[in-house]
Amino acid sequence: MATDNRINFWRRNAKVPGSVQPVYGAQHPPLDPRLRRTYPKDTKPKFNNIKTKKASSFHEFARSTNDAWDIDDEEDEEFLGTFNPAVSIPPGLHTTSSIQNQQHQAGDTESAVSHRLAPPTTEGPNLQDVQEEDTEYEQANGKVVKSSSDAHLNTSSVRSTLQKQQSLPVRPIIPLVARISDQNASGAPPMTVREKSRLDKFRQLLASPNTDLEELRKHSWSGIPREVRPITWRLLSGYLPANKERRELVLKRKREEYFRFIEQYYHSRTDEHYKDTYRQIHIDIPRTNPLIPLFQQPAVQEIFERILFIWAIRHPASGYVQGINDLVTPFFVVFLSEFVTEDMENFDVAALPLETQRNIEADSFWCMSKLLDGIQDNYTFAQPGIQNKVKALEELVSRIDEDIHNHFKRYEVEYLQFAFRWMNNLLMRELPLRCTIRLWDTYQAEAEGFSRFHLYVCAAFLIKWRKEILSMVDFQGLLMLLQNLPTIHWGNEEVGLLLAEAYRLKYMFADAPSHYKR
């Protein structure tokens, strides 16, 4: 049965892996299909009596799932406006009394939506801050506008609206969604005595005439201090030489070389041969971390377009493939952090000197290129590198946790259906960006970190959710769980535990691959 489903899945999906697919994960939460409002005109939707037929295959499941970018604001406003002709409270904006009321009434709904997968409670938003941001809205001429007074709002109308909203997915205010900062989710102090000692050790290594790269990797494995992360990443990726005297000259030469590529190739983006590549890049850029304002700035999107287009035409064996756009963001954020210390999510990059913007762009290009050189078979035709890694993940999990493996077989869940994205995007869609940056500290320190160690990280990541996986007893529930794992509050501590487990698996299996083959 599982073999037939696998054959039918690829037969019905003619596009090769990497084509446009619905995007979910820590940074792209799913949207309820009922918000689509695709009902026949004469049919009145009855949210309380909807009985959804469970998908029996991945194809049916994918067909019934909506892309996060297909819903526009007008549909959202119009749909929410139907609840009360006089009052409309947009998602995320509530009065203090309504928050308290919703907390009392929506407990069951929240647990149902999250499949009881909420992580341990961390610091939540301050209620006083929420009160300061509260705003009431009224509907006028079919549009939602701000109201300067609450005179027209009464308690009963607000309560009635909130009761009707229980059929909608809960949209909590989660301040950590878009945070780039790399502090622990537990709210640890920014600098402890141990961290200061580590920072001094890094500075000592970096200041030596010839940096000991092996020693630098050893110290980087458990995380790189933010203050020295940019130069450390440049060194560990092979972009900068270990010799301190040569670094400035190499930086100048490589940055000039990149902008010669821009002058030589970028104008060809409108040529017949390259216009499809550029069009796909242009479509994907706004989808890159859509919840972080930094990446929605025109100046930043233009930088990403140039980086991806130049890389694509210089690597014709693979060209541009969806997912590569995500791999630019950690480098861009790390190199930007040299010039921005606070509120990076909302920083206006255009305010930086042009020379600084150019240097960040060139460094991001070269470091991304170094990364992709080691995993380029992930992005060549039919993406054989990813398919081999997914197969290796399946064999590894079958040895380390047979219960999960058999659970997937029982409900006909193929590893390719969820792990393809884990390999294609290096778990960037599953983890907040701050966690990805911490993860990449270790990947840069590991030999073949992005190509080989990532396999063991994926295995550890899957086993992490063992209890939740085994509690799901249908195909659709399993796929929804695996594509929307609750990592939104993760920080350095959780990533550190994940890496420790991955290292244990690597120690057991990496040098004896036959151990995980049946």
Side-chain angles (χ1 to χ4, degrees), residues 261-318:
F261 292 155
I262 296 291
E263 295 174 2
Q264 183 176 358
Y265 300 119
Y266 194 59
H267 64 86
S268 65
R269 64 190 183 280
T270 57
D271 293 355
E272 185 68 25
H273 186 63
Y274 295 121
K275 69 178 184 181
D276 287 342
T277 297
Y278 179 74
R279 176 182 173 277
Q280 188 61 57
I281 291 172
H282 190 71
I283 290 172
D284 288 346
I285 292 301
R287 300 180 173 186
T288 305
N289 297 290
L291 299 180
I292 301 179
L294 172 68
F295 297 108
Q296 304 310 308
Q297 298 176 26
V300 174
Q301 294 187 355
E302 289 171 8
I303 287 173
F304 278 42
E305 284 183 1
R306 288 193 292 268
I307 290 173
L308 294 171
F309 183 76
I310 296 302
W311 188 88
I313 63 176
R314 294 190 72 245
H315 296 80
S318 61

Side-chain angles (χ1 to χ4, degrees), residues 357-512:
Q357 296 180 46
R358 288 166 60 90
N359 291 343
I360 293 172
E361 177 178 345
D363 292 355
S364 300
F365 169 81
W366 287 115
C367 288
M368 185 197 75
S369 297
K370 292 286 187 179
L371 185 161
L372 289 171
D373 285 348
I375 56 172
Q376 192 169 353
D377 62 339
N378 284 7
Y379 305 105
T380 53
F381 179 74
Q383 300 179 266
I386 290 179
Q387 308 233 20
N388 291 335
K389 290 181 177 69
V390 171
K391 183 63 178 175
L393 176 65
E394 180 177 359
E395 293 173 344
L396 181 58
V397 173
S398 71
R399 300 300 295 178
I400 63 179
D401 198 319
E402 193 170 5
D403 289 342
I404 288 181
H405 183 71
N406 290 336
H407 194 68
F408 286 158
K409 290 177 66 176
R410 178 180 180 184
Y411 294 104
E412 301 181 5
V413 174
E414 299 291 335
Y415 284 78
L416 202 62
Q417 293 163 355
F418 64 89
F420 179 88
R421 190 175 72 191
W422 295 10
M423 303 299 178
N424 190 58
N425 301 85
L426 298 177
L427 287 176
M428 286 195 63
R429 298 280 174 88
E430 277 55 52
L431 298 172
L433 184 53
R434 63 180 178 275
C435 295
T436 297
I437 291 172
R438 167 62 190 91
L439 188 68
W440 284 23
D441 287 346
T442 301
Y443 282 4
Q444 302 254 25
E446 270 282 331
E448 299 181 307
F450 293 98
S451 57
R452 294 190 62 193
F453 186 64
H454 181 66
L455 167 67
Y456 301 98
V457 172
C458 289
F461 186 65
L462 182 63
I463 303 305
K464 162 74 178 174
W465 310 104
R466 184 180 195 276
K467 179 180 177 181
E468 291 82 358
I469 289 170
L470 295 179
S471 70
M472 292 293 169
V473 291
D474 64 277
F475 176 87
Q476 182 168 341
L478 279 166
L479 261 293
M480 287 297 291
L481 168 65
L482 292 166
Q483 293 185 348
N484 301 280
L485 291 164
T487 61
I488 206 165
H489 292 291
W490 274 33
N492 288 353
E493 295 171 2
E494 290 81 2
V495 175
L497 291 172
L498 179 69
L499 289 166
E501 177 63 15
Y503 184 80
R504 186 185 72 84
L505 294 176
K506 177 194 172 190
Y507 184 80
M508 292 173 60
F509 295 101
D511 295 326

Side-chain angles (χ1 to χ4, degrees), residues 1 21 47 58 73 89 94 105 109 115 121 139 147 204 209-210 220 244 246 264 336 345 400 467 470 492:
M1 178 67 74
Q21 295 292 335
F47 297 118
F58 180 68
D73 294 334
I89 301 178
H94 306 282
Q105 295 178 351
T109 306
H115 297 291
T121 305
Q139 192 172 24
S147 171
Q204 181 182 347
N210 286 284
S220 300
K244 187 177 180 181
R246 294 181 52 223
Q264 183 176 358
L336 179 63
E345 292 83 357
I400 63 179
K467 179 180 177 181
L470 295 179
N492 288 353

Side-chain angles (χ1 to χ4, degrees), residues 111-342:
S111 61
V113 172
S114 63
H115 297 291
R116 299 179 301 279
L117 299 180
T121 305
T122 60
E123 289 185 12
N126 190 316
L127 186 58
Q128 183 177 356
D129 296 338
V130 175
Q131 288 175 325
E132 291 174 358
E133 295 175 0
D134 281 345
T135 306
E136 285 78 27
Y137 279 67
E138 290 182 345
Q139 192 172 24
N141 298 326
K143 294 186 177 180
V144 177
V145 296
K146 286 187 178 181
S147 171
S148 58
S149 169
D150 62 349
H152 301 294
L153 289 177
N154 57 64
T155 306
S156 60
S157 65
V158 173
R159 183 178 294 109
S160 175
T161 302
L162 289 172
Q163 288 172 343
K164 293 178 181 179
Q165 283 181 326
Q166 301 312 308
S167 60
L168 290 174
V170 178
R171 296 186 179 186
I173 300 174
I174 304 177
L176 296 176
V177 172
R179 298 301 296 173
I180 296 175
S181 59
D182 57 355
Q183 298 303 315
N184 292 333
S186 61
M191 183 69 73
T192 64
V193 174
R194 179 177 177 276
E195 288 169 343
K196 187 177 185 304
S197 175
R198 293 189 71 245
L199 177 58
D200 292 340
K201 180 62 178 177
F202 270 91
R203 284 175 171 162
Q204 181 182 347
L205 283 169
L206 296 170
S208 62
N210 286 284
T211 300
D212 186 342
L213 294 181
E214 284 305 312
E215 191 72 11
L216 186 63
R217 287 191 178 93
K218 185 170 71 173
H219 284 81
S220 300
W221 204 100
S222 56
I224 302 171
R226 173 174 176 158
E227 294 83 354
V228 294
R229 183 176 276 134
I231 178 115
T232 304
W233 276 27
R234 291 186 185 105
L235 285 165
L236 294 182
S237 66
Y239 175 44
L240 279 186
N243 186 280
K244 187 177 180 181
E245 292 183 355
R246 294 181 52 223
R247 290 174 194 166
E248 196 63 35
L249 184 63
V250 169
L251 271 181
K252 185 175 183 296
R253 176 173 58 82
K254 297 296 283 184
R255 288 167 177 172
E256 290 175 351
E257 183 179 359
Y258 169 71
F259 283 100
R260 282 199 298 272
F261 292 155
I262 296 291
E263 295 174 2
Q264 183 176 358
Y265 300 119
Y266 194 59
H267 64 86
S268 65
R269 64 190 183 280
T270 57
D271 293 355
E272 185 68 25
H273 186 63
Y274 295 121
K275 69 178 184 181
D276 287 342
T277 297
Y278 179 74
R279 176 182 173 277
Q280 188 61 57
I281 291 172
H282 190 71
I283 290 172
D284 288 346
I285 292 301
R287 300 180 173 186
T288 305
N289 297 290
L291 299 180
I292 301 179
L294 172 68
F295 297 108
Q296 304 310 308
Q297 298 176 26
V300 174
Q301 294 187 355
E302 289 171 8
I303 287 173
F304 278 42
E305 284 183 1
R306 288 193 292 268
I307 290 173
L308 294 171
F309 183 76
I310 296 302
W311 188 88
I313 63 176
R314 294 190 72 245
H315 296 80
S318 61
Y320 173 76
V321 177
Q322 272 192 310
I324 295 179
N325 56 305
D326 285 329
L327 305 184
V328 185
T329 56
F331 293 113
F332 180 81
V333 167
V334 167
F335 298 142
L336 179 63
S337 69
E338 286 186 286
F339 309 97
V340 184
T341 56
E342 296 181 359

